[in-house]
Structure formats: C-alpha cells, structure tokens
Amino acid sequence: ADIISPRSETAATAIESEPLPSTVAEGSTSSNASYNTERLPLPLSAIQPVLQAIFDYYAVVSGASEHKVITAARFNRLLLDAGVIDDKRLSPGKADLVFARVCGHAANPMAAEQFLDAIVQLARTKYPRMPCMPAISRLYCNHFATFSAGPDDESAVTNMDADTVDVLLEAKPGLQAIYK
C-alpha cells in the first residue's frame, strides 16, 4: 500500500469533500474523546497544528543534525498516552510495523513529515472500513484532539497555588511509578 501524505493537495481536497458514512456519525467514540464525530471530516488545517505540537512534545533532537525526531519507543509512548493502541484493531505490534514502514526500519528515527504519514497509516489500520480522510479525522478526534498543551506551555503550572504544587511534588514518585 502506498503511503498517502495528509499534506497533499489531493488529501486536503478529499478531507473536505468526501462524504461521511452514516455509520461514523452513529458510531461510538472512545472514552477519552470529547469531540462530536458527526462533524467529521475535519479540515487538515484544524488537525495539523495539533499533530505538529504533539510531534514537538515527544520529539528529541537528533545528534549532529539537530533535527527533531521521534524514536520507536517514544512513538509507542505517544500512542499509549493517546489511547490509540487497543486489542482489537491496533496492537503494539501493528504500531511497530507502521513505524518501520514509514521510517524504512524500526531503528531509524521518525521525522515530522514521516509522523504525518504514520498518522495516515494508523488511521487506515484502526478504521479500515472508512475512507482515508474521515479515518484520519476520527483518529484525531478520538485520540489526539485532547492534547492541548505544547512543550513550552507552562500555563497549567503557573496557575497552581503553592499548596497544590507541594502536594504534587510529594506525590511525584508514586505518580511516576504508576505512569511509567
């Protein structure tokens, strides 16, 4: 299967013009989704900035080139954090295959452009009966739209009072043990 880039003019046109199957509007969403899936498909202009912010948050600087990349381990962490991996359609093994397919090998890190290609592959794998662009929108709405803060967004911390910060600092070791 060819990798379809969500940045292409054809894909941008498709996401706005492709009719949404009635089963999508009636279907259930994941428990962490706060978006109304009846509004699918979303325009790429609404999706890409959030996906870029997510990429930036999980990316690390790669050696001498100083380009941001996501390793296979960080990609899996991202998918687990977003609740994309499940036992039905997208297992951890399938996620690894998507990473390897997009990057050429599991040892190669993923660049930002490849990350967007991986989103397309994840959408096709998770929602195989849907057309490509509504599947991307649904993946975004059900799993990525709740990511709201960028890597430099300190508003959550700066709005906390000192007592809350103290409680969180005390709970930090236990919370880290739970979420690792």
Side-chain angles (χ1 to χ4, degrees):
D2 292 333
I3 295 173
I4 299 173
S5 172
R7 296 167 311 288
S8 71
E9 185 174 299
T10 307
T13 305
I15 198 167
E16 294 173 2
S17 63
E18 207 170 274
L20 180 66
S22 60
T23 56
V24 175
E26 297 165 5
S28 64
T29 61
S30 72
S31 60
N32 66 344
S34 60
Y35 269 69
N36 180 355
T37 57
E38 291 175 10
R39 294 177 20 164
L40 297 177
L42 294 173
L44 284 174
S45 61
I47 296 172
Q48 282 187 302
V50 176
L51 292 178
Q52 184 62 50
I54 292 168
F55 175 84
D56 290 340
Y57 181 80
Y58 284 91
V60 294
V61 176
S62 172
S65 68
E66 297 190 20
H67 287 91
K68 284 187 165 187
V69 295
I70 292 180
T71 62
R74 286 184 169 268
F75 183 67
N76 283 325
R77 169 72 350 200
L78 181 161
L79 297 180
L80 287 170
D81 290 349
V84 175
I85 293 179
D86 60 36
D87 293 330
K88 294 179 183 177
R89 297 245 184 240
L90 192 65
S91 66
K94 286 182 180 178
D96 289 340
L97 288 174
V98 167
F99 186 92
R101 190 179 314 136
V102 169
C103 296
H105 189 278
N108 297 336
M110 181 183 287
E113 184 174 305
Q114 292 170 316
F115 175 68
L116 294 176
D117 291 337
I119 295 297
V120 173
Q121 293 298 315
L122 291 168
R124 291 173 128 186
T125 302
K126 191 143 180 95
Y127 307 110
R129 294 185 178 171
M130 291 179 70
C132 186
M133 301 322 294
I136 293 168
S137 292
R138 186 159 189 192
L139 182 72
Y140 170 80
C141 288
N142 290 350
H143 301 284
F144 296 117
T146 58
F147 283 71
S148 60
D152 299 323
D153 186 2
E154 296 179 6
S155 63
V157 177
T158 58
N159 293 331
M160 287 185 194
D161 60 50
D163 291 337
T164 303
V165 172
D166 290 341
V167 168
L168 290 174
L169 287 174
E170 285 182 36
K172 182 180 177 180
L175 292 171
Q176 286 179 329
I178 291 170
Y179 290 107
K180 282 189 178 183

